[in-house]
Amino acid sequence: MRNTIDWKDYQLIDCSDGERLERWGDFVLVRPDPQVIWKTPKTDPLWFNANGYYHRSKSGGGSWEIRGKMPPYWSIGYKDLTFNIKTMGFKHTGLFPEQAVNWDMMRKVISEANRPVKVLNLFAYTGGATVACLKAGASVVHVDASKGMVAWAKENAVSSGVADKPVRWIVDDCIKFVQREIRRGNRYDIIIMDPPSYGRGPGGEVWKLEDEVYEFVRLCAQLLDDDSLMMLINSYTTGLSPSVMEYILGAVVKPRLGGSVFSSEIGLPVLKNNMVLPCGASAVWYNASVKL
């Protein structure tokens, strides 16, 4: 399992009985995590004195209980990046801190390419990968179906000092956008895909990852050429294992472009017991010229 130990403003303090105890900068949150099925004792007093506690509803969704004073948003940093955090309606904060291990990997590839690098970030959410790639010197096309998430990503770009870098902000259905890019003859050096397990596009288009991912990878692979550097797929879908995503990349991309593929779980170190909590999976194709 890959993880980073370089976070200073984020910390997974403990996890037990379906919940995480986390520090986000100056604030402590308790959030649900269904894969935390163990019931170890909650001995840390922060479990009972957190600034925010997300209560899941039996009918779906849930709500935040804010204890004491907590602002509607605040910022945390990772290395030289800054992200704006908000308590969202569905337990999220606008950032997946486990993805830092992938941000570091992409920044290394971009900085070592010694040439202009063009990145396509699909299902780009609030732009963690976008600002990381911009900071490393790449140009980025950021695509997400949610206007609100793209606006949030722009805020993160401003906070990270990369708003003036070469980036296009696109609100669109990712499949339709890729189809148009193919017709235009555009190519990319790095493609990042962070698709949801289930979702809808701006026109009501239904997305279910297990049904769509193989054909979508085949579609996106048409935007790669012999000089392309990397394709990265992230998944938070429990039914889509790292090895399955690795096989898809190996079957679709490697026969045409060579290179190598690998996959792994990504996770977060837990302060309480030195374990690493699995938080999803990534699969990567990379060019033979790339050294990881």
Side-chain angles (χ1 to χ4, degrees):
M1 189 186 309
R2 294 187 299 126
N3 66 278
T4 180
I5 59 171
D6 292 334
W7 273 107
K8 300 295 188 292
D9 285 357
Y10 171 84
Q11 192 172 55
L12 178 54
I13 301 167
D14 195 9
C15 48
S16 177
D17 196 16
E19 294 180 320
R20 298 186 192 184
L21 177 67
E22 303 168 296
R23 180 179 64 83
W24 297 80
D26 295 331
F27 301 97
V28 175
L29 305 179
V30 176
R31 299 191 298 153
D33 188 330
Q35 69 176 342
V36 181
I37 60 175
W38 50 90
K39 298 183 179 182
T40 49
K42 294 181 176 180
T43 57
D44 194 309
L46 288 173
W47 277 111
F48 312 102
N49 296 284
N51 301 100
Y53 195 110
Y54 187 87
H55 298 279
R56 188 182 292 279
S57 170
K58 293 182 180 179
S59 60
S63 61
W64 284 96
E65 175 191 353
I66 304 302
R67 301 167 178 174
K69 293 184 178 181
M70 193 170 76
Y73 65 90
W74 65 99
S75 296
I76 67 171
Y78 177 75
K79 297 183 176 179
D80 55 353
L81 306 176
T82 301
F83 302 103
N84 299 296
I85 303 301
K86 307 172 188 177
T87 50
M88 299 169 64
F90 184 65
K91 82 176 183 179
H92 295 303
T93 63
L95 191 69
F96 293 94
E98 62 273 12
Q99 285 295 329
V101 70
N102 285 330
W103 305 336
D104 290 341
M105 177 178 64
M106 288 181 286
R107 291 185 68 167
K108 178 178 183 293
V109 171
I110 292 166
S111 63
E112 293 179 356
N114 295 316
R115 62 175 174 86
V117 174
K118 187 177 179 182
V119 176
L120 175 61
N121 189 9
L122 299 167
F123 308 97
Y125 195 49
T126 61
T130 294
V131 298
C133 292
L134 289 171
K135 186 70 82 167
S139 62
V140 181
V141 177
H142 173 112
V143 186
D144 197 277
S146 168
K147 184 177 180 180
M149 292 300 104
V150 173
W152 194 338
K154 291 180 181 180
E155 294 172 7
N156 285 333
V158 171
S159 297
S160 291
V162 294
D164 61 337
K165 303 298 182 182
V167 56
R168 293 175 59 206
W169 306 104
I170 308 293
V171 179
D172 201 354
D173 175 76
C174 288
I175 294 176
K176 292 181 178 179
F177 179 80
V178 170
Q179 289 171 336
R180 288 198 300 274
E181 289 292 89
I182 292 170
R183 292 195 294 269
R184 294 169 182 145
N186 286 333
R187 297 293 182 267
Y188 291 87
D189 299 296
I190 297 176
I191 298 177
I192 305 163
M193 298 169 52
D194 205 345
S197 299
Y198 179 85
R200 291 184 180 274
E205 304 88 349
V206 175
W207 167 276
K208 187 176 180 183
L209 184 58
E210 295 95 326
D211 296 341
E212 304 284 353
V213 65
Y214 180 76
E215 290 301 325
F216 190 54
V217 170
R218 289 184 59 189
L219 191 69
C220 290
Q222 297 180 55
L223 299 177
L224 300 171
D225 60 24
D226 291 343
D227 295 326
S228 295
L229 299 171
M230 176 178 289
M231 176 182 271
L232 167 68
I233 309 174
N234 292 308
S235 171
Y236 290 88
T237 303
T238 54
L240 194 63
S241 70
S243 57
V244 168
M245 295 191 298
E246 179 180 339
Y247 181 79
I248 292 172
L249 287 176
V252 172
V253 183
K254 190 175 178 180
R256 180 167 68 91
L257 300 179
S260 302
V261 294
F262 77 88
S263 64
S264 65
E265 289 185 296
I266 56 175
L268 291 168
V270 184
L271 177 65
K272 182 74 174 179
N273 53 22
N274 295 318
M275 69 174 283
V276 178
L277 177 68
C279 298
S282 298
V284 177
W285 167 83
Y286 59 101
N287 192 292
S289 65
V290 172
K291 306 300 180 185
L292 296 183

